Amino acid sequence: MTIIFRNTVCLSFFGLSVYLGAVSICTAGEDPPRELLMANLTEMSIEVLMNVEILSAAKKLQPVSESAAAVFVITSEDIRRSGALTVPDLLRTVPGLQVARINNSKWAISSRGFGGQQANKLLVLIDGRTVYSPLYSGVYWDAQDVMPEDMERIEIVRGPGAALWGANAVNGVISILTKSAEKTQGGLISGGFGSEGGGFGATRYGGRLAETVWYRLYAKYLNRDSTLSADGEWKNDSWNVLRGGGRMDWQVSDRDHLTLQGDIYDGENGNMQPVASLSPPYDSHSFHETKYSGANLLTRWTRTFSGTSEMALQLYYDRTKRTSTVVNDRYETLDLDFQHRFDLGDRQEIIWGGGYRLIWDDLQNTSGNNTFDPESRTTQLFNGFVQDEITLVENCFSIILGAKAEHNDYSGFEFQPGFRWHWKPATGHALWGAVSRAVRTPSRAENDALFYQTVSPPFSSLNPGPVPVVVSFQGSDAFESEELIAYEMGYRFQAAKSFSADIAVFYNDYGNLRTVEPDGIDFSNYPRHVVANYTGANKMSGESYGVEVALDVRVTDRWRLRGAYSFLRVMLHPDADSGDFISEVTEGFDPRHQFSLRSSLDLPWGLEWDIGGRYVDNLTGYDVQSYVAVDTRLSWSPRPGVEFSVVGQNLNDPVHFELAPSLYNVVATEAVRSVYAKLTWAF
């Protein structure tokens, strides 16, 4: 099936490229689509950027400057000039986000702490479809991708979004939004290769089926060869993924709009993973290959009743399959979501809605070490929310009251309220604040898994006894939701048309955090070995606080500077009756300080030069040293629609580690210095 899929998409990719080339010859005299032309910095004033409309902070379109939340927007122009080839690399300079590469296909991404490969307090959406895995409450980043040229923007909301988006939007929401099919008319071909042996390519064509019906089709391929470390050793972390799909937008009437979109993908990557054994050396590494595939189909109907009233109804189906050494998992999700917005009088705006999600899963043991009981399960999620934005002083001060209630099959009923306020004391100045409650509901693994994780050698620091100790983790029905009460404040300032600052501070109070508690020792296999059993529980609390700053400066009409700084402190406290001596170390999984500075300069003759550097503090919990990474991009556009670019990454340092693995331990590889070239042709 995989081979058939891959061959089919490859042939489609090739055929579409040939067709697009033919079309381009026939239309060579026509102007290229406006959205594909190279924008310049003169079109991106600070005023324009501050008024970019976002959807994720309030579930309605509103300018960034009027949002009562810590938001950051990566625009389509930012994406084009970033030089990034993956979504995680696009997120590296967002204040308040922690992004670390583990190997070629794996990243640890978190917001305001609790990072790591299994980071579980961040909700990620692509066009309103959640890509949050219920297996471990995280995101498989190797399976999430969108053609860069098709991204409208990426909205990042730091802090809880649970009053609108529900459970698991604990420390933030990342929402990737793609352009409508109407905005992606015409053809596009892009491709390139790099010094690390990787190649990539994408093609897309958009057309019109009728006067008000637009469509686009795309295919994308990415390949990365195994990393060659500084000592000349291949790390077996190659990665390739092929995907395709399309989108159709139909303006049915002046009031109704219908969207239909879907994707299908197939990929595989290599990992070096530890292998535990009951004889010396007890711990070794071996190569394993992970294969994954998936498909999704989403439809959304929006109706505008008036300028102050509209509704949206969304339905999607998502299927994922992953084969790895941990478990073979297959998930199918059916999700229905409805929301309605209307004005109540002159001073109130109400948004309310509800949803239903049905999930089927099938989790098969692959190594004999990991089992789920039951292996298959069907779970349901019901939810409803309401938000009331009340204007107390016209164009000056407003408050937002909201709450989301939901019921899931693991922890039952959850209630997540929020209160926000927004004050504009003067033109160009805005203050906001918020108090919110959010929860992370138990994952399937925390509820139903039995993992035999590691072997502790005899006469070691953790095992002074004479026989090996096998460490097992058992999920529990008694595992409860992790809880957060968050306090936030922010200030936005725009001076004239050349400078803006966005500052946010926060204090998070966590309760019921996950711990791993001793649950007895099994001597049935003594003297060959004994088994130390551990069970998941909620016996830890904690706090985190921090400051996040984003600066944007228009030095001249052709030169833009952007800077960001983040400070984060996490403190965790196991309960007095907790026997967990490991989980507290996660407070050192995130950098305390992060800086970034990026310069974008428009040069004569169609040239652009972007250069950026970022400093990431050390990770005491992983024993990872601080590092500085410098990336640059130089592009040339000889004619509208054609762009050639050269990108260098990690230019100042031949290699550095960004993270080490935690649970289920993929061996981390070094980020290496690399260069790649890319050609984009839009017609």
Side-chain angles (χ1 to χ4, degrees), residues 223-255:
N223 174 71
R224 285 185 174 177
D225 286 348
S226 178
T227 301
L228 182 62
S229 68
D231 57 7
E233 182 182 356
W234 293 101
K235 295 298 184 180
N236 295 312
D237 61 346
S238 61
W239 176 34
N240 69 80
V241 59
L242 182 63
R243 65 179 59 242
R247 172 167 173 162
M248 184 194 74
D249 286 282
W250 179 17
Q251 190 66 45
V252 182
S253 68
D254 291 341
R255 299 192 307 169

Side-chain angles (χ1 to χ4, degrees), residues 593-655:
H593 299 277
Q594 292 188 96
F595 302 90
S596 69
L597 180 64
R598 186 168 181 84
S599 165
S600 297
L601 182 64
D602 285 349
L603 299 169
W605 309 297
L607 292 168
E608 294 176 339
W609 182 37
D610 300 270
I611 183 168
R614 62 184 190 281
Y615 165 82
V616 180
D617 210 348
N618 61 313
L619 310 181
T620 57
Y622 284 119
D623 194 24
V624 172
Q625 301 301 309
S626 62
Y627 63 89
V628 175
V630 176
D631 304 334
T632 191
R633 167 187 175 271
L634 180 65
S635 74
W636 176 48
S637 181
R639 50 165 287 189
V642 177
E643 181 182 273
F644 175 73
S645 59
V646 178
V647 175
Q649 297 174 322
N650 302 315
L651 295 179
N652 60 309
D653 190 4
V655 295

